[in-house]
Amino acid sequence: MKNMIIFSTLILLFQVALYNCNAEKCDLKGKWKNELGSNMTISVIDKNGYFSGSYLTAVTTQKKVEIKKSPISGVMVPSSQPIFAFHVKWTFSDSITAFTGQCFVDSSGERLETMWLLKATAGSSDDNWASTRVGSNVFRRLI
């Protein structure tokens, strides 16, 4: 009986070690698309976790404006499921958006769960509240 318990414990420890070795790591670099159809590309990540890329939004509240690709820059904390933050300076409007989030890996693949804060130019401090928006997006890797 004692040998059976030791054997079962060793098998369990081996399975845990094997799972940890095979655990997938989320890689921010690449092409991503969110539930609204916006596309983001993270093209460069340096050794300190700073990254850059581009963002092409599929949505805007502005009328009669041509949506253009906009640059992003950000930073990540390296891990198997990294946290990150980046900002987008929109090239077609007087606004900027700050994103923060985390990359997760599960049976459906990699996803970036983000929260964002968009700040547009306000005409006065009385209008400041109306020029700020808050939201969230989930990005999935494009293959």
Side-chain angles (χ1 to χ4, degrees), residues 32-47:
W32 301 87
K33 187 172 194 167
N34 71 18
E35 69 278 9
L36 301 174
S38 297
N39 289 284
M40 175 176 62
T41 301
I42 298 175
S43 51
V44 177
I45 303 175
D46 74 14
K47 65 179 181 167

Side-chain angles (χ1 to χ4, degrees), residues 45-123:
I45 303 175
D46 74 14
K47 65 179 181 167
N48 296 314
Y50 290 93
F51 61 86
S52 61
S54 61
Y55 196 108
L56 183 61
T57 187
V59 296
T60 182
T61 58
Q62 296 184 340
K63 305 281 190 239
K64 298 180 183 179
V65 66
E66 179 187 353
I67 295 175
K68 298 177 183 174
K69 193 179 285 188
S70 299
I72 68 169
S73 63
V75 65
M76 61 173 268
V77 177
S79 73
S80 62
Q81 297 188 123
I83 59 173
F84 57 87
F86 65 91
H87 72 274
V88 183
K89 167 48 185 107
W90 303 108
T91 56
F92 58 89
S93 71
D94 292 333
S95 61
I96 191 166
T97 302
F99 287 80
T100 187
Q102 185 167 0
C103 188
F104 294 99
V105 181
D106 60 21
S107 61
S108 64
E110 294 170 293
R111 72 181 183 284
L112 307 179
E113 294 187 10
T114 66
M115 295 287 296
W116 54 264
L117 181 73
L118 180 144
K119 180 67 176 111
T121 302

